[in-house]
Amino acid sequence: TERRLVEHGPGTLLKSSVAVLSNTVGNGQRTVVISRAAAGATSQHYSIPSTPGDINLITAVGTTSALS
């Protein structure tokens, strides 16, 4: 899912703007290749900077779809 995050909360669920190009597993490792436009789909989506630099990223792993 894509979310507009808030401090200490799940934030707002956004319409997906990511296309999964491939999703493979080999030797116990999953590789997912995704694509999306640099400009956010809406004002709530993150726009990727056009200049090199750091991007803050949060990923999560779980066994259910519930946020906690």
Side-chain angles (χ1 to χ4, degrees), residues 3-68:
R3 293 182 172 272
R4 176 83 176 191
L5 297 179
V6 296
E7 190 170 342
H8 302 293
T12 305
L13 183 62
L14 300 174
K15 181 179 177 185
S16 180
S17 65
V18 175
V20 177
L21 302 180
S22 65
N23 181 355
T24 59
V25 178
N27 297 324
Q29 181 174 330
R30 179 177 301 275
T31 302
V32 180
V33 178
I34 60 173
S35 176
R36 64 156 271 196
T42 71
S43 62
Q44 296 299 301
H45 286 79
Y46 180 73
S47 289
I48 300 168
S50 59
T51 56
D54 295 337
I55 296 177
N56 294 326
L57 176 69
I58 297 172
T59 62
V61 176
T63 57
T64 70
S65 60
L67 298 174
S68 59

